[in-house]
Amino acid sequence: LLDDCGGGLRRHKAAQALVAEVRLGAGSGGLPGPRAVLAQPTTYMNESGAAVKAVAAFHKIPADRVIAVHDELDLDPGRLRLKFGGGDNGHNGLKSMRGHLGTGDFYRVRVGIGRPEGRQPAADYVLAKLRPKQLDELRVDAAVAADAVEFLVRHGLVETQNRFNS
C-alpha cells in the first residue's frame, strides 16, 4: 500500500512505529484520494497495541477507523477475509490492540497463512523463515490486502467483503 501511495516511512516521535501520512490513489476526476496514516509498529507483535494506540491518539483516529492487517492461521494461504470487531482468536497482536485501544471494534483484514502441519507449535510456524515460493505467494497476498484496505476506506465494509472475501 505504501508503494502504491508513493510515501516513505519515518520514525514516529510519539510511538514505537514507522509511519507515513499518505493519500490513497487518485480519486474521481483525478483528485487526490482520501488521507490515511500507515503505521508499522517496531515493537514485538504481541506488544504492538501500544504503538497503534499512540499513533491513533497522535493523529486523532478513533478505534473504529483503525484497520489492522494481520496473519490468520484459520484461513488457508491465499484466502482473505475482512470484518469489523470480534475477539482476538488467540492472536497476540490483536489481543494487545484490544487491550490498548480498550475495544475490539476496529477493522481487520485477515490474510490466510494456514495452520502448521503435524504438531508444530503455531508460534514456531509463524516465526519460521519462509521458502522463496512462500515469500512470492505472500507478496501477492500483500498486494491483494493493500487493494482491500484502499477499497474499504473508499467503499465501506459490505462492498469490500463482497469483492474481496474469499
Side-chain angles (χ1 to χ4, degrees), residues 6-162:
L9 292 170
R10 61 177 169 70
R11 237 173 238 298
H12 196 278
K13 55 184 152 194
Q16 291 182 318
L18 300 174
V19 176
E21 295 179 55
V22 300
R23 289 261 185 194
L24 299 179
S28 60
L31 298 173
R35 291 183 61 233
V37 177
L38 307 179
Q40 176 184 338
T42 56
T43 62
Y44 288 107
M45 181 265 306
N46 61 347
E47 299 170 355
S48 57
V52 172
K53 179 182 179 180
V55 170
F58 183 87
H59 292 280
K60 298 177 178 60
I61 301 167
D64 65 357
R65 301 285 296 178
V66 170
I67 303 170
V69 180
H70 65 89
D71 57 349
E72 179 62 57
L73 287 166
D74 290 332
L75 290 175
D76 290 334
R79 304 282 310 264
L80 185 90
R81 294 277 171 107
L82 291 98
K83 71 178 194 172
F84 181 81
D88 56 53
N89 198 27
H91 192 291
N92 290 330
L94 293 177
K95 181 179 180 181
S96 177
M97 286 181 64
R98 287 173 56 88
H100 283 88
L101 293 173
T103 182
D105 291 341
F106 52 87
Y107 292 96
R108 295 106 188 277
V109 177
R110 304 162 56 215
V111 180
I113 60 168
R115 288 217 166 258
E117 294 181 15
R119 297 178 183 259
Q120 182 182 18
D124 292 347
Y125 175 68
V126 298
L127 296 173
K129 185 172 174 123
L130 296 170
R131 294 185 306 271
K133 181 180 178 188
Q134 291 172 306
L135 189 56
D136 288 341
E137 290 168 355
L138 282 177
R139 283 190 186 106
V140 170
D141 292 346
V144 172
D147 291 343
V149 168
E150 187 169 348
F151 200 87
L152 175 62
V153 170
R154 292 177 182 276
H155 302 284
L157 182 61
V158 173
E159 278 190 60
T160 307
Q161 287 173 320
N162 288 336

